[in-house]
Amino acid sequence: MAAIESQDCSHETMVQLCSIALDGNDETQVEDASRVLLSRLYDQLCEAGDKDESRTLVLFAVLVLLANSISGAILRVHPPKPACHPHAKSGLVLILGYGGSSLDALGPYGTMWAGAGYRALTGTMPQTTHLSHRFIERLVVELETGLAAGTEFILHICSNNGWYSWSRLIETWQHHNLPPLESCLTKIVHDCCPADFDLKGEQAPIIAVNYAVGITRMLENFLKVPIDRQNQMRPVFEQIAASPEFIRLIWGNLEFKDPTQELTVPRLFLMSEADKLILPSLVQDYIERLKHVLRANGTREAELGTLFQVVKSTHAPHMMLGSYDPALLADAIHNFVWAGCSPVVEIDDDWKRDVKKGFVSYILSQT
């Protein structure tokens, strides 16, 4: 900690040291270490404030990078609970978390899928090089085991962070003992994503501010930072986040390649009119581009109509569909998973009630 607190500690060195400090196998120990480390960094950031712009920039960039996954490189496995649903499925669901999501925040998603009969993996890929490599290593081990039997594989991507994480994972897919993607991936849930942002264009500062402030708010909730202190630092955070230096430090030369655009698999798009980060219009643009690619590859219009389901909330904020409209989420997942079954499978009221209970319980635990 002394090295990290040094005035001369560079951004690269600080990120490396912090990543090593948060590299562990125990979920509780990692989150405890994360809470201590992020709290110290936040205190230093508040102390520097607007008095030392260069140090404030470095501290804030490191804080946002680390806070992207406060659970480090830990994965949580949710064993299937087929007894929770009379028409339980089987298979593997990978839930890649949104920026700033903890394992507890992703817990209700894991519980929802486990209750439908699936083995669910939840985790948020860190943005630091060391921890992201560790995350992929652990994820590959789970995937090699889970996909070995040729089971159904569903991908649940949360926000653009989950989408970028999936892109990173696919870059290494062929280097591991994993089946070809086209032979194992059966369905994709796009939860508030994707949006094709130009991270080097005119909108980059606005995107960076929305992202950084969103991450910081979740972090402040995690650290239980007093409201008056949050309000005091908000203008400083917004000013830093809009700077080209901050954008370079957190995103660098980040590029996204869509690894699934040519796969003819059913997709469920969850979005909200109230989403201020990933606008529904941007997701709709992606859907139209995807349809264009599939048409060019020979997919007929009749088949296209069966590949896309869109469910839209009128009032849920970004990645809050489960918290604000759990019934809509449960209905959407049910209709997506059991679509085409003969005879028709009606939604199970007990499972739907458990989905709502999971999200409500998480909200109450944060108050």
Side-chain angles (χ1 to χ4, degrees), residues 159-161 163-164 192-211 247 251 254-257 275-283 285-286 289 318:
S159 191
N160 263 26
N161 188 77
W163 196 235
Y164 288 129
C192 297
C193 72
D196 187 12
F197 290 135
D198 182 1
L199 300 179
K200 298 179 182 178
E202 295 180 356
Q203 297 299 310
I206 298 175
I207 299 167
V209 169
N210 288 338
Y211 168 72
I247 294 172
W251 285 328
L254 180 66
E255 293 184 3
F256 174 70
K257 297 180 181 179
D275 194 330
K276 303 302 182 184
L277 183 60
I278 306 294
L279 302 179
S281 60
L282 295 177
V283 180
D285 288 344
Y286 170 80
R289 289 196 302 274
H318 183 63

Side-chain angles (χ1 to χ4, degrees), residues 79-91:
K81 298 180 179 179
C84 294
H85 200 292
H87 301 281
K89 293 278 195 170
S90 63

Side-chain angles (χ1 to χ4, degrees), residues 72-87:
I74 300 292
L75 284 169
R76 183 181 289 179
V77 178
H78 299 260
K81 298 180 179 179
C84 294
H85 200 292
H87 301 281

Side-chain angles (χ1 to χ4, degrees), residues 251-297:
W251 285 328
N253 296 317
L254 180 66
E255 293 184 3
F256 174 70
K257 297 180 181 179
D258 188 348
T260 59
Q261 65 176 356
E262 297 187 1
L263 297 182
T264 53
V265 296
R267 299 168 188 257
L268 168 64
F269 289 86
L270 303 171
M271 59 184 83
S272 175
E273 293 289 354
D275 194 330
K276 303 302 182 184
L277 183 60
I278 306 294
L279 302 179
S281 60
L282 295 177
V283 180
Q284 194 62 51
D285 288 344
Y286 170 80
I287 294 174
E288 294 307 315
R289 289 196 302 274
L290 186 58
K291 287 181 178 180
H292 178 76
V293 171
L294 294 177
R295 287 191 189 100
N297 289 341

Side-chain angles (χ1 to χ4, degrees), residues 108-109 112 322-323 326 329 355-364:
Y109 295 92
M112 173 181 68
S323 301
L329 174 63
V355 171
K356 180 178 180 180
K357 181 180 178 181
F359 283 99
V360 170
S361 297
Y362 172 71
I363 294 172
L364 292 176

Side-chain angles (χ1 to χ4, degrees), residues 9-85:
C9 190
S10 68
H11 172 263
E12 292 78 10
T13 301
M14 195 177 297
V15 168
Q16 183 178 11
L17 291 173
C18 291
S19 297
I20 294 173
L22 298 180
D23 185 4
N25 298 313
D26 183 88
E27 180 180 320
T28 301
Q29 290 179 359
V30 168
E31 288 207 354
D32 287 346
S34 181
R35 182 177 283 103
V36 171
L37 181 57
L38 292 172
S39 180
R40 295 288 290 274
L41 286 172
Y42 190 92
D43 289 343
Q44 290 180 61
L45 182 57
C46 292
E47 183 179 341
D50 55 5
K51 300 190 293 290
D52 187 343
E53 293 184 2
S54 60
R55 179 162 175 75
T56 299
L57 169 66
V58 169
L59 287 169
F60 190 51
V62 173
L63 190 73
V64 170
L65 282 171
L66 293 175
N68 189 75
S69 174
I70 59 178
S71 302
I74 300 292
L75 284 169
R76 183 181 289 179
V77 178
H78 299 260
K81 298 180 179 179
C84 294
H85 200 292

